[in-house]
Amino acid sequence: MFEHLIISLCLQAVIGFATGNWWAGAAVCAALWIGREQAQAEYRWIAQFGDGDRTKLRWWNALDPKVWNTHNFFWNLALPITAVTIIGAML
């Protein structure tokens, strides 16, 4: 459940200590999880509504609330991004 949070904090720490720019670490983590979760939402949409056919997918279908749940949105996306943003603001 906390895997994405731990990965984000470690990655931000590596980038922050290496470059001195903790905002860069936050940006990398945010981009990583946004891209990953969007791709996961696309796959869920294709499986649920696209009959397994990727050509039916449109760019906005990954934003469909029917393919998101609390785990995907909160634990995998919002929590890690919020944590690294707070750390970036503090340091």
Side-chain angles (χ1 to χ4, degrees):
M1 182 180 305
F2 293 105
E3 296 91 1
H4 291 123
L5 177 61
I6 293 167
I7 291 167
S8 295
L9 296 175
C10 292
L11 181 58
Q12 183 182 30
V14 167
I15 293 170
F17 284 125
T19 66
N21 187 345
W22 290 80
W23 277 114
V28 167
C29 293
L32 172 74
W33 299 124
I34 290 169
R36 180 186 184 278
E37 292 307 316
Q38 179 196 1
Q40 294 290 320
E42 288 176 355
Y43 289 124
R44 287 190 301 271
W45 189 93
I46 292 166
Q48 292 175 15
F49 306 109
D51 302 320
D53 185 2
R54 185 158 178 29
T55 61
K56 294 179 181 178
L57 179 72
R58 301 295 175 252
W59 69 267
W60 61 83
N61 293 134
L63 303 174
D64 187 345
K66 291 179 265 186
V67 296
W68 288 86
N69 61 34
T70 302
H71 182 81
N72 302 127
F73 180 76
F74 181 76
W75 295 106
N76 293 348
L77 186 64
L79 181 64
I81 291 173
T82 302
V84 295
T85 301
I86 290 170
I87 291 171
M90 291 173 34
L91 299 177

